[in-house]
Amino acid sequence: MPRQRHGSEPKPAGQELVIPALAVGFTAYYFWTVQELAWEAKANGVVIGAILLVLVALLLLRMGLQLARGDVSLRATLGGDRATDRLRLGLLGLCAAFIVVLPLLGTVISLALVLFAAMWLLGARHWPSLIGVSLVTPLLVWATLIVGIGTRFPLGPFEHAMAALLGLPGLD
Amino acid sequence: MELDLATLAELFGRSFSLWWAILPGIALGLVVGVLPGFSPQNTLIILLPVTLAMDTEAALAFMISLYCANHLSGGIPAILVNIPGSGGAAATCIDGYQMTKKGQAQQALVLSFVASVAGGLITSVAVLALLPFLAQLGLVLRSVEMVVIILFGLTLIAVLAAKDMLKGLIGGMFGLMLGAIGTDTVYSTPRATFGFLELYDGLPLVPVLIGLFAISEALVMLEERFTGTPPAQSRAAQWKDTVEGLWMCVKYWWQITWTAFLGLVVGVIPGAGAYIASFVAYQQSRLFSKTPELYGTGHPPGVIAPESANNGVTSGTLVPTMAIGVPGGSTAAVMMIVLQYQGITVGPRLFQESPAIAYGVFVMMTVAYIFMIPMVMPLARYASRVVTVPVHYIVPLILALTVVGAFADREYVFDMVLALVFGVIGYIAVKSNYHVTSILIGVLLGPIFERYLLRSLRIGQGDIMVLFSSPIANVLWALLVISVVLPIWRERRLARTAA
């Protein structure tokens, strides 16, 4: 049974293992992909991977000692409340949805929709600002990045209509 | 290219001709510097599609102006509302806000602006004078030394910038490991690409940067309702206050000068940065003051010292980036990515291969500070209003624009997904005290590290002991070991003393 310092709850430290777990998992995968390659192809990864594994082992050792002293527990928390975490997941979901609809609706319409939905999700209810930001930002992106710089963003009904209307080369 | 007066004059002429990139950079830097938590690298990330499309010199001029102006304006909310716009302005709060409470807000702002501009100007001119010596580094640093320098740089960042050295080191090595994704340079065989063709050229830096910094920071910002609190009512500023502030600056000119140099020295150390520089300057200023008891009560040198050092850091941070190819901080890392995209490899050979860029960066910085002098006063009044922009407008804008920016580099939708993945990794890293800058610098230096390591191993015919074969490298190894062991030893000694 770990000893617990009287008067204080052990600090949750499970979250501190996520990055090392990712690092170790990735290193193992890297070693697996290079096992049959020539030494020149794997030297770099092996040197870095070995150092990384030693560092993670040291972290685990330190955490093990803290656990034994009862200073920390393996409970994981990122410090946010549930409502904010839900908002975070909602925003990430909206970003993922944006990437999915981008080839179908084009950059301007997708961006306008995602901006409006994200601001609404975060509690913005001032209609002029909501509509203004959702319309002006995609139009600026269209004018600077698509028309001005010529980045080949996915085009949709808006971009095609504007290209036909204004006779923009390469966009219709 | 020798750095003589004619060359300097030519570089200054070229920098002044880039006014069209410098002025918007300064204006934008001043405005976003006021937003607490909105760092210069985030602004640069949002604007990546624009900077990547510019020619190299214009892009650099824009980024440097934005960076310097951002360091300057971080002091505005620190003075007016006791919230630092950036980490480097945290020490300014101590006396700056006290001056505001005493009705001396305008004097404090003038002190902050003059100290910042003078500090930035003095140190960028000083670095220009030192550059011919730094350029010699390219002649003595070879592959073996570069391998150790990269590891030493990552270690310093972990020791100085990360809250926990071990986690900082894990972050840096994880980044280096991620930087090893892609085909190898000799046989072009894919390594750890998860089967994605898009990763054969290595991990694309722009989506990684966007994810680790911008997206993760936007997710963290959700915990705040506003980016700051509305400014308290203060007495309307008058011209008399401005003149009084200027007179104080003349009175404390020596304070401005030596704290600027202190900032420069701290800035040169990778990972140290503006936060450490401004607090060190504040402490030292108090230590050598004849009236230390006045610090913390609205004493002018308490504003001058951190602001001057904070801006002295700007040129210092770029020294290791340009001279050895190890970025001194996150904004320098963003600049390095843009330069790499333009085909320019920073590091010891930059002074031989692209001297106009190597020297030009510091000339542009000097010019940016000169342009800032007439711009900063009128903009300050309006910039402080940005503090109260609600998070529910800022966060969606950052997220949407940066995800769009991830596409602009290689024009792959895959990169947008990658940015989101690294956004989540960055968020977890921030919330569990892993230093995201270490991870990014690791990813950035990964391919460069591999190149130098392979070259060294080839010279040593596969023997790893070649890394200990050079006197310079051995000195660097010793410093690396000391920089890791010393903090642990000090911590143990302190713990024993406390017990």
Side-chain angles (χ1 to χ4, degrees):
Chain A
M1 260 302 263
R3 228 166 5 101
Q4 194 184 315
R5 279 200 297 194
H6 39 248
S8 63
E9 276 284 301
K11 243 172 44 185
Q15 70 282 357
E16 294 179 18
L17 294 174
V18 179
I19 296 291
L22 281 174
V24 170
F26 177 72
T27 306
Y29 169 64
Y30 191 94
F31 284 177
W32 179 68
T33 61
V34 299
Q35 59 184 327
E36 289 180 1
L37 302 186
W39 74 266
E40 289 99 330
K42 58 183 173 189
N44 177 49
V46 170
V47 169
I48 300 167
I51 301 173
L52 183 56
L53 292 178
V54 169
L55 291 171
V56 172
L58 284 173
L59 183 91
L60 290 177
L61 182 72
R62 188 177 75 179
M63 198 174 275
L65 289 172
Q66 288 171 334
L67 266 173
R69 283 200 303 263
D71 293 345
V72 297
S73 73
L74 283 179
R75 203 162 56 85
T77 171
L78 291 175
D81 58 277
R82 286 209 172 167
T84 317
D85 284 343
R86 272 199 294 272
L87 285 179
R88 252 181 224 116
L89 284 174
L91 279 178
L92 285 172
L94 278 176
C95 288
F98 168 69
I99 295 170
V100 172
V101 300
L102 189 63
L104 305 170
L105 299 177
T107 307
V108 172
I109 296 177
S110 308
L111 195 55
L113 289 176
V114 78
L115 272 172
F116 187 89
M119 287 188 292
W120 182 270
L121 180 74
L122 295 186
R125 295 293 183 270
H126 186 247
W127 283 96
S129 305
L130 267 170
I131 295 170
V133 174
S134 313
L135 288 182
V136 171
T137 314
L139 287 176
L140 276 174
V141 168
W142 172 76
T144 53
L145 301 185
I146 299 177
V147 178
I149 297 172
T151 312
R152 288 175 301 172
F153 278 104
L155 306 178
F158 175 83
E159 290 87 350
H160 289 305
M162 290 304 282
L165 203 67
L166 303 173
L168 298 169
L171 292 179
D172 48 356
Chain B
M1 189 193 235
E2 285 292 312
L3 190 65
D4 49 31
L5 277 179
T7 315
L8 257 182
E10 189 197 325
L11 287 173
F12 268 99
R14 264 154 75 172
S15 296
F16 274 109
S17 73
L18 291 168
W19 61 268
W20 56 272
I22 293 174
L23 294 183
I26 292 173
L28 205 58
L30 287 173
V31 173
V32 295
V34 174
L35 281 171
F38 206 89
S39 50
Q41 69 265 21
N42 262 358
T43 320
L44 291 179
I45 291 166
I46 289 174
L47 294 168
L48 268 179
V50 180
T51 42
L52 293 179
M54 286 174 164
D55 77 83
T56 314
E57 278 186 281
L60 261 181
F62 177 76
M63 290 191 293
I64 285 168
S65 315
L66 193 147
Y67 174 48
C68 297
N70 195 281
H71 267 248
L72 182 146
S73 64
I76 299 173
I79 289 166
L80 295 179
V81 289
N82 204 22
I83 298 168
S86 59
T92 311
C93 289
I94 305 171
D95 278 278
Y97 189 58
Q98 290 300 324
M99 284 184 78
T100 299
K101 287 207 315 202
K102 282 166 40 180
Q104 295 178 322
Q106 187 67 8
Q107 288 95 325
L109 284 174
V110 172
L111 282 175
S112 155
F113 296 156
V114 176
S116 299
V117 172
L121 261 177
I122 291 167
T123 48
S124 47
V125 171
V127 170
L128 267 175
L130 284 172
L131 280 182
F133 304 103
L134 288 172
Q136 302 300 316
L137 275 177
L139 305 174
V140 292
L141 297 179
R142 291 160 301 148
S143 309
V144 173
E145 287 88 7
M146 284 311 296
V147 168
V148 196
I149 281 176
I150 290 175
L151 290 176
F152 188 36
L154 280 174
T155 308
L156 279 181
I157 289 165
V159 172
L160 297 172
K163 285 178 190 159
D164 181 326
M165 182 177 71
L166 187 54
K167 287 183 184 172
L169 285 171
I170 290 173
M173 297 315 284
F174 183 35
L176 274 184
M177 198 73 211
L178 290 170
I181 288 179
T183 53
D184 76 274
T185 48
V186 182
Y187 303 102
S188 295
T189 41
R191 300 166 304 176
T193 57
F194 298 94
F196 293 113
L197 279 174
E198 291 89 342
L199 292 177
Y200 273 42
D201 286 336
L203 209 53
L205 291 172
V206 172
V208 174
L209 174 78
I210 284 173
L212 285 179
F213 279 106
I215 295 179
S216 68
E217 204 168 296
L219 295 176
V220 172
M221 273 170 86
L222 279 179
E223 280 150 32
E224 309 271 333
R225 181 147 170 70
F226 285 91
T227 51
T229 49
Q233 285 295 317
S234 58
R235 179 169 71 87
Q238 293 169 354
W239 275 109
K240 190 172 74 74
D241 301 328
T242 309
V243 175
E244 202 180 313
L246 285 170
W247 171 242
M248 284 180 192
C249 294
V250 176
K251 196 173 151 194
Y252 293 108
W253 70 272
W254 176 238
Q255 180 96 12
I256 295 176
T257 311
W258 76 260
T259 48
F261 277 105
L262 196 65
L264 172 68
V265 173
V266 176
V268 170
I269 304 165
Y275 180 79
I276 294 175
S278 57
F279 272 103
V280 169
Y282 186 85
Q283 287 294 84
Q284 292 301 310
S285 167
R286 192 179 170 184
L287 194 70
F288 290 111
S289 171
K290 287 175 187 161
T291 52
E293 71 283 357
L294 293 178
Y295 280 74
T297 61
H299 193 36
V303 176
I304 288 173
E307 282 302 308
S308 179
N310 180 19
N311 283 269
V313 165
T314 52
S315 40
T317 313
L318 290 177
V319 169
T321 316
M322 295 295 154
I324 54 174
V326 176
S330 41
T331 312
V334 179
M335 289 186 200
M336 195 167 154
I337 288 171
V338 174
L339 284 174
Q340 278 194 0
Y341 178 87
Q342 306 274 11
I344 294 161
T345 309
V346 295
R349 302 236 167 262
L350 184 71
F351 291 91
Q352 275 85 41
E353 287 164 6
S354 308
I357 296 293
Y359 298 119
V361 162
F362 297 97
V363 173
M364 284 171 197
M365 193 171 267
T366 313
V367 170
Y369 275 110
I370 292 170
F371 274 123
M372 247 182 259
I373 297 168
M375 283 182 76
V376 69
M377 298 289 181
L379 274 177
R381 291 175 70 96
Y382 304 101
S384 58
R385 293 183 189 172
V386 185
V387 178
T388 53
V389 175
V391 159
H392 54 241
Y393 293 120
I394 293 280
V395 170
L397 275 171
I398 294 177
L399 276 177
L401 291 177
T402 52
V403 171
V404 164
F407 180 88
D409 177 17
R410 304 194 303 172
E411 300 180 342
Y412 292 159
V413 172
F414 175 84
D415 288 356
M416 292 175 156
V417 180
L418 204 63
L420 283 185
V421 170
F422 274 91
V424 175
I425 293 175
Y427 173 71
I428 295 169
V430 170
K431 298 301 277 186
S432 52
N433 292 329
Y434 285 88
H435 199 233
V436 281
T437 308
S438 301
I439 303 177
L440 175 76
I441 292 178
V443 175
L444 178 60
L445 295 179
I448 304 166
F449 181 81
E450 177 165 20
R451 202 167 58 230
Y452 287 125
L453 181 72
L454 271 188
R455 217 178 277 168
S456 307
L457 288 175
R458 280 219 192 114
I459 294 166
Q461 295 174 326
D463 184 2
I464 195 96
M465 292 312 286
V466 72
L467 298 178
F468 304 95
S469 63
S470 127
I472 297 176
N474 288 343
V475 170
L476 289 168
W477 277 121
L479 288 174
L480 189 153
V481 173
I482 291 170
S483 62
V484 171
V485 173
L486 201 65
I488 300 171
W489 178 74
R490 275 191 61 187
E491 204 176 299
R492 291 204 161 195
R493 221 182 102 188
L494 282 174
R496 221 175 288 153
T497 316

